[in-house]
Amino acid sequence: MTEVKKIMDTKLFHTDDNEIAEAGEILRNGGLVAFPTETVYGLGASAFDSDAAKKIYAAKGRPSDNPLIDNFMPGPVTIILKKKSVVPNDVTAGLNTVAIRFPLHETAQKLIKAAGVPIAAPSANLSGKPSPTKAKHVVKDMTGRIDAIIDGGECNV
């Protein structure tokens, strides 16, 4: 296992399987983890945890009427579906629909598997700022605001 760095209470992980497993545990326990996808870094929380969803809004400085995105299918395609009651209103900003996506990025897929729960994950940037495509962008915006960042290199798309 590589050395895990802490920056103001935010852990900086790499793509080591043990570190991804720890990041999955953070998500299961209501924490926030930033992770790479093929397009941008996402800011993840359990999609079934209303309190965790509220933490995303707080970390991003995002209005709570702007719904979060769930990750479910390979690739940068998002499908909008009718929301089931198991998805908290805080994830969908009270809307009756939910955006579903499963990234193609290998690290993102490993994290989703390790978490064992669907992940609500908008981009890992402060609200109104550019979407991050490198871990250093996430470190700049989210250090001290979230539990962990997985540095998976630069996004491909």
Side-chain angles (χ1 to χ4, degrees):
M1 183 158 99
T2 59
E3 180 183 340
V4 175
K5 295 180 182 178
K6 276 187 96 171
I7 312 163
M8 292 178 52
D9 295 325
T10 298
K11 293 180 179 182
L12 181 60
F13 293 135
H14 295 89
T15 56
D16 175 273
D17 287 346
N18 292 324
E19 292 177 8
I20 291 175
E22 185 176 342
E25 185 176 344
I26 289 170
L27 291 170
R28 279 192 307 280
N29 291 324
L32 303 183
V33 176
F35 61 97
T37 73
E38 61 279 356
T39 54
V40 299
Y41 273 74
L43 180 56
S46 170
F48 293 156
D49 187 331
S50 181
D51 290 334
K54 290 176 186 174
K55 290 178 186 177
I56 290 178
Y57 290 108
K60 288 178 61 71
R62 181 181 182 138
S64 61
D65 62 352
N66 188 352
L68 306 179
I69 299 171
D70 292 352
N71 292 322
F72 281 100
M73 83 169 67
V77 175
T78 301
I79 296 177
I80 308 298
L81 299 172
K82 186 171 171 97
K83 179 182 91 67
K84 297 211 174 207
S85 61
V86 69
V87 179
N89 285 333
D90 292 308
V91 171
T92 63
L95 299 176
N96 65 355
T97 56
V98 62
I100 307 296
R101 179 175 180 259
F102 191 85
L104 187 59
H105 197 284
E106 180 182 4
T107 300
Q109 289 185 8
K110 285 181 177 181
L111 178 62
I112 293 166
K113 183 176 181 179
V117 294
I119 300 173
S123 57
N125 58 295
L126 293 174
S127 188
K129 300 288 184 181
S131 295
T133 57
K134 298 178 182 178
K136 71 179 186 179
H137 301 150
V138 181
V139 168
K140 182 179 178 195
D141 275 3
M142 293 293 151
T143 294
R145 296 173 172 265
I146 66 175
D147 300 292
I149 301 166
I150 299 174
D151 184 348
E154 189 169 357
C155 298
N156 297 332
V157 179

Short mmCIF file of all heavy atoms in Angstrom, two decimals, residues 11 13 18-37 42-53 55-56 68-71 91 103 107-122 124 146-150:
data_model
loop_
_atom_site.label_atom_id
_atom_site.label_comp_id
_atom_site.label_asym_id
_atom_site.label_seq_id
_atom_site.Cartn_x
_atom_site.Cartn_y
_atom_site.Cartn_z
N LYS A 11 -7.87 13.15 3.00
CA LYS A 11 -6.88 12.13 2.61
C LYS A 11 -6.68 12.19 1.10
O LYS A 11 -7.64 12.35 0.35
CB LYS A 11 -7.36 10.74 3.00
CG LYS A 11 -7.44 10.54 4.50
CD LYS A 11 -7.92 9.14 4.83
CE LYS A 11 -7.95 8.95 6.34
NZ LYS A 11 -8.36 7.59 6.69
N PHE A 13 -5.54 9.85 -1.78
CA PHE A 13 -5.28 8.47 -2.16
C PHE A 13 -4.75 8.40 -3.59
O PHE A 13 -4.91 9.32 -4.37
CB PHE A 13 -6.57 7.64 -2.12
CG PHE A 13 -7.16 7.43 -0.76
CD1 PHE A 13 -8.52 7.60 -0.56
CD2 PHE A 13 -6.38 7.05 0.32
CE1 PHE A 13 -9.09 7.38 0.68
CE2 PHE A 13 -6.94 6.82 1.56
CZ PHE A 13 -8.30 6.99 1.74
N ASN A 18 -6.18 -1.12 -2.03
CA ASN A 18 -6.46 -0.94 -0.59
C ASN A 18 -6.96 0.47 -0.30
O ASN A 18 -7.85 0.66 0.53
CB ASN A 18 -5.21 -1.24 0.25
CG ASN A 18 -4.84 -2.71 0.21
OD1 ASN A 18 -5.70 -3.57 0.17
ND2 ASN A 18 -3.55 -2.99 0.21
N GLU A 19 -6.40 1.45 -0.99
CA GLU A 19 -6.85 2.83 -0.79
C GLU A 19 -8.25 3.03 -1.37
O GLU A 19 -9.07 3.74 -0.79
CB GLU A 19 -5.85 3.80 -1.40
CG GLU A 19 -4.53 3.81 -0.66
CD GLU A 19 -3.48 4.70 -1.27
OE1 GLU A 19 -3.76 5.46 -2.21
OE2 GLU A 19 -2.36 4.64 -0.77
N ILE A 20 -8.53 2.41 -2.50
CA ILE A 20 -9.88 2.48 -3.07
C ILE A 20 -10.88 1.81 -2.13
O ILE A 20 -11.98 2.31 -1.93
CB ILE A 20 -9.92 1.89 -4.49
CG1 ILE A 20 -9.14 2.81 -5.44
CG2 ILE A 20 -11.35 1.69 -4.96
CD1 ILE A 20 -8.99 2.28 -6.85
N ALA A 21 -10.49 0.70 -1.51
CA ALA A 21 -11.37 0.04 -0.54
C ALA A 21 -11.65 0.96 0.64
O ALA A 21 -12.79 1.04 1.11
CB ALA A 21 -10.73 -1.27 -0.06
N GLU A 22 -10.63 1.68 1.10
CA GLU A 22 -10.83 2.63 2.20
C GLU A 22 -11.75 3.77 1.77
O GLU A 22 -12.62 4.21 2.53
CB GLU A 22 -9.50 3.19 2.69
CG GLU A 22 -9.65 4.08 3.92
CD GLU A 22 -8.32 4.57 4.47
OE1 GLU A 22 -7.26 4.01 4.17
OE2 GLU A 22 -8.36 5.56 5.24
N ALA A 23 -11.59 4.24 0.53
CA ALA A 23 -12.47 5.29 0.01
C ALA A 23 -13.91 4.79 -0.07
O ALA A 23 -14.85 5.53 0.24
CB ALA A 23 -11.98 5.76 -1.36
N GLY A 24 -14.10 3.52 -0.46
CA GLY A 24 -15.44 2.93 -0.50
C GLY A 24 -16.06 2.90 0.89
O GLY A 24 -17.25 3.17 1.06
N GLU A 25 -15.24 2.59 1.89
CA GLU A 25 -15.73 2.59 3.27
C GLU A 25 -16.14 3.99 3.71
O GLU A 25 -17.16 4.18 4.38
CB GLU A 25 -14.65 2.04 4.20
CG GLU A 25 -15.10 1.89 5.64
CD GLU A 25 -14.04 1.26 6.52
OE1 GLU A 25 -13.07 0.67 6.00
OE2 GLU A 25 -14.19 1.37 7.75
N ILE A 26 -15.36 4.99 3.32
CA ILE A 26 -15.72 6.38 3.63
C ILE A 26 -17.10 6.69 3.05
O ILE A 26 -17.95 7.30 3.72
CB ILE A 26 -14.65 7.35 3.08
CG1 ILE A 26 -13.35 7.22 3.90
CG2 ILE A 26 -15.16 8.79 3.09
CD1 ILE A 26 -12.16 7.96 3.29
N LEU A 27 -17.35 6.29 1.81
CA LEU A 27 -18.65 6.54 1.18
C LEU A 27 -19.77 5.81 1.91
O LEU A 27 -20.83 6.40 2.18
CB LEU A 27 -18.63 6.12 -0.29
CG LEU A 27 -17.75 6.98 -1.20
CD1 LEU A 27 -17.62 6.34 -2.57
CD2 LEU A 27 -18.32 8.38 -1.32
N ARG A 28 -19.57 4.53 2.25
CA ARG A 28 -20.59 3.77 2.97
C ARG A 28 -20.93 4.40 4.32
O ARG A 28 -22.04 4.28 4.81
CB ARG A 28 -20.13 2.33 3.21
CG ARG A 28 -20.30 1.41 2.04
CD ARG A 28 -20.10 -0.05 2.41
NE ARG A 28 -18.84 -0.32 3.10
CZ ARG A 28 -17.65 -0.44 2.52
NH1 ARG A 28 -17.56 -0.30 1.21
NH2 ARG A 28 -16.58 -0.70 3.24
N ASN A 29 -19.94 5.07 4.92
CA ASN A 29 -20.11 5.67 6.24
C ASN A 29 -20.55 7.13 6.19
O ASN A 29 -20.47 7.84 7.19
CB ASN A 29 -18.83 5.53 7.06
CG ASN A 29 -18.55 4.09 7.43
OD1 ASN A 29 -19.48 3.33 7.69
ND2 ASN A 29 -17.30 3.71 7.44
N GLY A 30 -21.00 7.60 5.03
CA GLY A 30 -21.56 8.94 4.92
C GLY A 30 -20.57 10.03 4.59
O GLY A 30 -20.90 11.21 4.66
N GLY A 31 -19.34 9.66 4.19
CA GLY A 31 -18.34 10.65 3.84
C GLY A 31 -18.35 11.02 2.37
O GLY A 31 -19.12 10.46 1.58
N LEU A 32 -17.47 11.94 2.01
CA LEU A 32 -17.35 12.42 0.63
C LEU A 32 -15.99 12.05 0.07
O LEU A 32 -14.96 12.23 0.73
CB LEU A 32 -17.49 13.95 0.57
CG LEU A 32 -18.77 14.56 1.12
CD1 LEU A 32 -18.75 16.07 0.90
CD2 LEU A 32 -19.99 13.95 0.48
N VAL A 33 -15.97 11.57 -1.18
CA VAL A 33 -14.73 11.19 -1.85
C VAL A 33 -14.76 11.74 -3.28
O VAL A 33 -15.72 11.51 -4.01
CB VAL A 33 -14.56 9.66 -1.91
CG1 VAL A 33 -13.32 9.28 -2.70
CG2 VAL A 33 -14.50 9.07 -0.51
N ALA A 34 -13.71 12.45 -3.67
CA ALA A 34 -13.56 12.89 -5.05
C ALA A 34 -12.80 11.81 -5.81
O ALA A 34 -11.86 11.22 -5.28
CB ALA A 34 -12.81 14.21 -5.12
N PHE A 35 -13.23 11.55 -7.05
CA PHE A 35 -12.63 10.47 -7.84
C PHE A 35 -12.69 10.81 -9.32
O PHE A 35 -13.55 11.57 -9.76
CB PHE A 35 -13.34 9.14 -7.56
CG PHE A 35 -14.81 9.14 -7.93
CD1 PHE A 35 -15.22 8.65 -9.15
CD2 PHE A 35 -15.75 9.65 -7.05
CE1 PHE A 35 -16.57 8.66 -9.50
CE2 PHE A 35 -17.10 9.66 -7.38
CZ PHE A 35 -17.51 9.16 -8.61
N PRO A 36 -11.74 10.23 -10.10
CA PRO A 36 -11.72 10.54 -11.53
C PRO A 36 -12.75 9.74 -12.31
O PRO A 36 -13.06 8.60 -11.97
CB PRO A 36 -10.31 10.13 -11.94
CG PRO A 36 -9.97 9.00 -11.02
CD PRO A 36 -10.64 9.35 -9.70
N THR A 37 -13.27 10.36 -13.35
CA THR A 37 -14.04 9.66 -14.37
C THR A 37 -13.35 9.97 -15.70
O THR A 37 -12.33 10.66 -15.71
CB THR A 37 -15.52 10.10 -14.42
OG1 THR A 37 -15.60 11.41 -15.00
CG2 THR A 37 -16.17 10.07 -13.04
N GLY A 42 -15.39 13.57 -10.09
CA GLY A 42 -16.69 13.65 -9.44
C GLY A 42 -16.52 13.75 -7.93
O GLY A 42 -15.51 13.31 -7.38
N LEU A 43 -17.50 14.32 -7.28
CA LEU A 43 -17.52 14.41 -5.82
C LEU A 43 -18.61 13.47 -5.34
O LEU A 43 -19.80 13.74 -5.48
CB LEU A 43 -17.79 15.83 -5.35
CG LEU A 43 -17.85 16.03 -3.85
CD1 LEU A 43 -16.58 15.53 -3.18
CD2 LEU A 43 -18.07 17.50 -3.53
N GLY A 44 -18.21 12.31 -4.78
CA GLY A 44 -19.14 11.25 -4.49
C GLY A 44 -19.58 11.15 -3.04
O GLY A 44 -18.83 11.44 -2.12
N ALA A 45 -20.83 10.72 -2.88
CA ALA A 45 -21.44 10.38 -1.59
C ALA A 45 -22.45 9.28 -1.86
O ALA A 45 -22.90 9.11 -2.99
CB ALA A 45 -22.14 11.59 -0.98
N SER A 46 -22.81 8.53 -0.83
CA SER A 46 -23.83 7.50 -1.00
C SER A 46 -25.12 8.12 -1.49
O SER A 46 -25.64 9.06 -0.87
CB SER A 46 -24.08 6.77 0.32
OG SER A 46 -25.23 5.94 0.21
N ALA A 47 -25.65 7.61 -2.59
CA ALA A 47 -26.89 8.14 -3.15
C ALA A 47 -28.11 7.81 -2.30
O ALA A 47 -29.19 8.35 -2.53
CB ALA A 47 -27.10 7.61 -4.57
N PHE A 48 -27.95 6.93 -1.31
CA PHE A 48 -29.05 6.57 -0.42
C PHE A 48 -28.99 7.30 0.92
O PHE A 48 -29.78 7.03 1.81
CB PHE A 48 -29.08 5.06 -0.17
CG PHE A 48 -29.42 4.25 -1.39
CD1 PHE A 48 -29.01 2.93 -1.48
CD2 PHE A 48 -30.17 4.77 -2.44
CE1 PHE A 48 -29.34 2.16 -2.59
CE2 PHE A 48 -30.49 4.01 -3.54
CZ PHE A 48 -30.08 2.70 -3.62
N ASP A 49 -28.04 8.21 1.09
CA ASP A 49 -27.80 8.88 2.36
C ASP A 49 -28.07 10.38 2.23
O ASP A 49 -27.28 11.13 1.65
CB ASP A 49 -26.35 8.63 2.79
CG ASP A 49 -26.02 9.14 4.17
OD1 ASP A 49 -26.63 10.12 4.63
OD2 ASP A 49 -25.11 8.56 4.79
N SER A 50 -29.21 10.80 2.75
CA SER A 50 -29.61 12.20 2.66
C SER A 50 -28.60 13.14 3.30
O SER A 50 -28.28 14.19 2.74
CB SER A 50 -30.99 12.38 3.32
OG SER A 50 -31.42 13.71 3.21
N ASP A 51 -28.07 12.77 4.46
CA ASP A 51 -27.08 13.63 5.12
C ASP A 51 -25.81 13.76 4.29
O ASP A 51 -25.22 14.83 4.22
CB ASP A 51 -26.74 13.09 6.51
CG ASP A 51 -27.91 13.24 7.49
OD1 ASP A 51 -28.76 14.14 7.29
OD2 ASP A 51 -27.98 12.45 8.45
N ALA A 52 -25.37 12.67 3.65
CA ALA A 52 -24.19 12.72 2.80
C ALA A 52 -24.44 13.62 1.59
O ALA A 52 -23.55 14.39 1.19
CB ALA A 52 -23.79 11.32 2.35
N ALA A 53 -25.64 13.56 1.02
CA ALA A 53 -25.98 14.43 -0.10
C ALA A 53 -25.90 15.90 0.32
O ALA A 53 -25.38 16.73 -0.43
CB ALA A 53 -27.37 14.09 -0.63
N LYS A 55 -23.95 17.10 2.50
CA LYS A 55 -22.53 17.44 2.60
C LYS A 55 -21.95 17.85 1.24
O LYS A 55 -21.07 18.70 1.17
CB LYS A 55 -21.72 16.25 3.16
CG LYS A 55 -21.99 15.95 4.61
CD LYS A 55 -21.17 14.73 5.04
CE LYS A 55 -21.50 14.27 6.43
NZ LYS A 55 -20.75 13.05 6.80
N ILE A 56 -22.44 17.23 0.16
CA ILE A 56 -21.97 17.63 -1.17
C ILE A 56 -22.35 19.08 -1.44
O ILE A 56 -21.52 19.88 -1.87
CB ILE A 56 -22.55 16.72 -2.28
CG1 ILE A 56 -21.94 15.33 -2.22
CG2 ILE A 56 -22.31 17.34 -3.66
CD1 ILE A 56 -22.49 14.37 -3.25
N LEU A 68 -28.18 16.41 -7.81
CA LEU A 68 -26.92 15.71 -7.96
C LEU A 68 -27.06 14.63 -9.01
O LEU A 68 -28.17 14.29 -9.44
CB LEU A 68 -26.51 15.08 -6.61
CG LEU A 68 -26.47 16.07 -5.44
CD1 LEU A 68 -26.09 15.33 -4.16
CD2 LEU A 68 -25.51 17.20 -5.73
N ILE A 69 -25.95 14.01 -9.44
CA ILE A 69 -25.96 12.97 -10.47
C ILE A 69 -25.59 11.65 -9.82
O ILE A 69 -24.70 11.59 -8.99
CB ILE A 69 -24.95 13.31 -11.58
CG1 ILE A 69 -25.33 14.64 -12.26
CG2 ILE A 69 -24.86 12.20 -12.61
CD1 ILE A 69 -24.27 15.15 -13.21
N ASP A 70 -26.26 10.55 -10.20
CA ASP A 70 -25.88 9.20 -9.74
C ASP A 70 -25.08 8.51 -10.83
O ASP A 70 -25.36 8.69 -12.01
CB ASP A 70 -27.13 8.35 -9.46
CG ASP A 70 -27.89 8.84 -8.28
OD1 ASP A 70 -27.40 9.73 -7.59
OD2 ASP A 70 -28.99 8.34 -8.05
N ASN A 71 -24.13 7.67 -10.43
CA ASN A 71 -23.28 6.94 -11.39
C ASN A 71 -23.71 5.48 -11.46
O ASN A 71 -23.68 4.80 -10.46
CB ASN A 71 -21.83 7.00 -10.94
CG ASN A 71 -21.29 8.39 -11.04
OD1 ASN A 71 -21.61 9.11 -11.96
ND2 ASN A 71 -20.48 8.80 -10.08
N VAL A 91 -30.87 14.27 -2.91
CA VAL A 91 -30.04 13.90 -4.06
C VAL A 91 -30.60 14.52 -5.33
O VAL A 91 -29.86 14.95 -6.20
CB VAL A 91 -29.94 12.37 -4.19
CG1 VAL A 91 -29.27 11.96 -5.50
CG2 VAL A 91 -29.18 11.79 -3.01
N PRO A 103 -19.62 5.58 -15.04
CA PRO A 103 -18.44 5.98 -15.81
C PRO A 103 -17.64 4.79 -16.32
O PRO A 103 -17.63 3.72 -15.72
CB PRO A 103 -17.61 6.79 -14.81
CG PRO A 103 -18.17 6.50 -13.48
CD PRO A 103 -19.54 5.95 -13.65
N THR A 107 -10.85 3.40 -12.34
CA THR A 107 -10.81 3.77 -10.93
C THR A 107 -12.20 4.07 -10.40
O THR A 107 -12.56 3.66 -9.30
CB THR A 107 -9.87 4.98 -10.71
OG1 THR A 107 -8.56 4.63 -11.16
CG2 THR A 107 -9.82 5.39 -9.25
N ALA A 108 -13.01 4.77 -11.19
CA ALA A 108 -14.38 5.06 -10.78
C ALA A 108 -15.17 3.76 -10.60
O ALA A 108 -15.91 3.60 -9.62
CB ALA A 108 -15.06 5.96 -11.80
N GLN A 109 -15.00 2.81 -11.52
CA GLN A 109 -15.71 1.54 -11.40
C GLN A 109 -15.27 0.76 -10.17
O GLN A 109 -16.10 0.18 -9.47
CB GLN A 109 -15.50 0.70 -12.67
CG GLN A 109 -16.25 1.26 -13.86
CD GLN A 109 -16.14 0.38 -15.09
OE1 GLN A 109 -15.63 -0.72 -15.04
NE2 GLN A 109 -16.64 0.88 -16.21
N LYS A 110 -13.96 0.78 -9.88
CA LYS A 110 -13.46 0.10 -8.67
C LYS A 110 -14.04 0.75 -7.41
O LYS A 110 -14.39 0.05 -6.46
CB LYS A 110 -11.94 0.14 -8.62
CG LYS A 110 -11.26 -0.80 -9.58
CD LYS A 110 -9.74 -0.71 -9.44
CE LYS A 110 -9.02 -1.68 -10.33
NZ LYS A 110 -7.55 -1.59 -10.15
N LEU A 111 -14.13 2.07 -7.40
CA LEU A 111 -14.68 2.77 -6.23
C LEU A 111 -16.16 2.44 -6.04
O LEU A 111 -16.60 2.18 -4.92
CB LEU A 111 -14.49 4.28 -6.36
CG LEU A 111 -15.08 5.11 -5.21
CD1 LEU A 111 -14.40 4.75 -3.89
CD2 LEU A 111 -14.94 6.59 -5.51
N ILE A 112 -16.92 2.42 -7.11
CA ILE A 112 -18.34 2.09 -7.01
C ILE A 112 -18.51 0.68 -6.44
O ILE A 112 -19.33 0.45 -5.56
CB ILE A 112 -19.03 2.24 -8.38
CG1 ILE A 112 -19.06 3.72 -8.80
CG2 ILE A 112 -20.44 1.66 -8.36
CD1 ILE A 112 -19.39 3.96 -10.25
N LYS A 113 -17.70 -0.26 -6.93
CA LYS A 113 -17.76 -1.64 -6.42
C LYS A 113 -17.37 -1.67 -4.94
O LYS A 113 -18.03 -2.33 -4.13
CB LYS A 113 -16.85 -2.54 -7.23
CG LYS A 113 -16.90 -3.98 -6.82
CD LYS A 113 -16.05 -4.86 -7.72
CE LYS A 113 -16.16 -6.31 -7.28
NZ LYS A 113 -15.38 -7.20 -8.13
N ALA A 114 -16.30 -0.95 -4.58
CA ALA A 114 -15.82 -0.94 -3.19
C ALA A 114 -16.84 -0.30 -2.25
O ALA A 114 -16.99 -0.72 -1.10
CB ALA A 114 -14.48 -0.21 -3.09
N ALA A 115 -17.55 0.72 -2.74
CA ALA A 115 -18.53 1.40 -1.89
C ALA A 115 -19.73 0.50 -1.61
O ALA A 115 -20.29 0.53 -0.52
CB ALA A 115 -18.99 2.69 -2.56
N GLY A 116 -20.14 -0.28 -2.59
CA GLY A 116 -21.29 -1.16 -2.40
C GLY A 116 -22.61 -0.43 -2.35
O GLY A 116 -23.63 -1.02 -2.00
N VAL A 117 -22.60 0.83 -2.69
CA VAL A 117 -23.83 1.65 -2.75
C VAL A 117 -23.75 2.52 -3.99
O VAL A 117 -22.66 2.85 -4.45
CB VAL A 117 -24.00 2.56 -1.50
CG1 VAL A 117 -24.22 1.75 -0.25
CG2 VAL A 117 -22.83 3.51 -1.34
N PRO A 118 -24.89 2.91 -4.56
CA PRO A 118 -24.85 3.88 -5.66
C PRO A 118 -24.25 5.18 -5.16
O PRO A 118 -24.41 5.54 -3.99
CB PRO A 118 -26.33 4.08 -6.03
CG PRO A 118 -27.07 2.99 -5.37
CD PRO A 118 -26.25 2.52 -4.21
N ILE A 119 -23.56 5.88 -6.03
CA ILE A 119 -22.86 7.10 -5.64
C ILE A 119 -23.48 8.30 -6.34
O ILE A 119 -23.57 8.34 -7.56
CB ILE A 119 -21.36 7.01 -5.99
CG1 ILE A 119 -20.72 5.82 -5.27
CG2 ILE A 119 -20.65 8.31 -5.65
CD1 ILE A 119 -19.29 5.56 -5.70
N ALA A 120 -23.92 9.28 -5.57
CA ALA A 120 -24.35 10.57 -6.12
C ALA A 120 -23.07 11.36 -6.32
O ALA A 120 -22.26 11.49 -5.40
CB ALA A 120 -25.29 11.28 -5.15
N ALA A 121 -22.85 11.89 -7.53
CA ALA A 121 -21.55 12.51 -7.80
C ALA A 121 -21.60 13.61 -8.84
O ALA A 121 -21.41 13.36 -10.02
CB ALA A 121 -20.55 11.44 -8.23
N PRO A 122 -21.82 14.84 -8.41
CA PRO A 122 -21.62 15.96 -9.33
C PRO A 122 -20.12 16.19 -9.49
O PRO A 122 -19.32 15.51 -8.85
CB PRO A 122 -22.30 17.12 -8.60
CG PRO A 122 -22.09 16.79 -7.16
CD PRO A 122 -22.19 15.29 -7.07
N ALA A 124 -16.43 17.67 -8.90
CA ALA A 124 -15.76 17.96 -7.63
C ALA A 124 -15.11 19.34 -7.63
O ALA A 124 -13.91 19.49 -7.44
CB ALA A 124 -14.72 16.88 -7.33
N ILE A 146 -13.80 17.93 2.19
CA ILE A 146 -14.22 16.55 1.95
C ILE A 146 -13.26 15.58 2.63
O ILE A 146 -12.20 15.99 3.10
CB ILE A 146 -14.34 16.24 0.44
CG1 ILE A 146 -12.98 16.30 -0.26
CG2 ILE A 146 -15.33 17.20 -0.23
CD1 ILE A 146 -13.02 15.90 -1.72
N ASP A 147 -13.64 14.31 2.67
CA ASP A 147 -12.85 13.31 3.39
C ASP A 147 -11.65 12.79 2.61
O ASP A 147 -10.61 12.51 3.20
CB ASP A 147 -13.75 12.13 3.79
CG ASP A 147 -14.86 12.60 4.70
OD1 ASP A 147 -14.56 12.99 5.83
OD2 ASP A 147 -16.03 12.60 4.26
N ALA A 148 -11.79 12.62 1.30
CA ALA A 148 -10.71 12.02 0.52
C ALA A 148 -10.79 12.40 -0.94
O ALA A 148 -11.85 12.72 -1.46
CB ALA A 148 -10.74 10.50 0.66
N ILE A 149 -9.62 12.35 -1.58
CA ILE A 149 -9.48 12.56 -3.02
C ILE A 149 -8.66 11.41 -3.56
O ILE A 149 -7.60 11.10 -3.02
CB ILE A 149 -8.76 13.90 -3.32
CG1 ILE A 149 -9.52 15.09 -2.73
CG2 ILE A 149 -8.53 14.07 -4.84
CD1 ILE A 149 -8.72 16.38 -2.68
N ILE A 150 -9.14 10.76 -4.61
CA ILE A 150 -8.37 9.72 -5.28
C ILE A 150 -7.70 10.35 -6.50
O ILE A 150 -8.38 10.83 -7.40
CB ILE A 150 -9.25 8.54 -5.73
CG1 ILE A 150 -9.93 7.89 -4.52
CG2 ILE A 150 -8.41 7.51 -6.49
CD1 ILE A 150 -10.94 6.82 -4.90
#
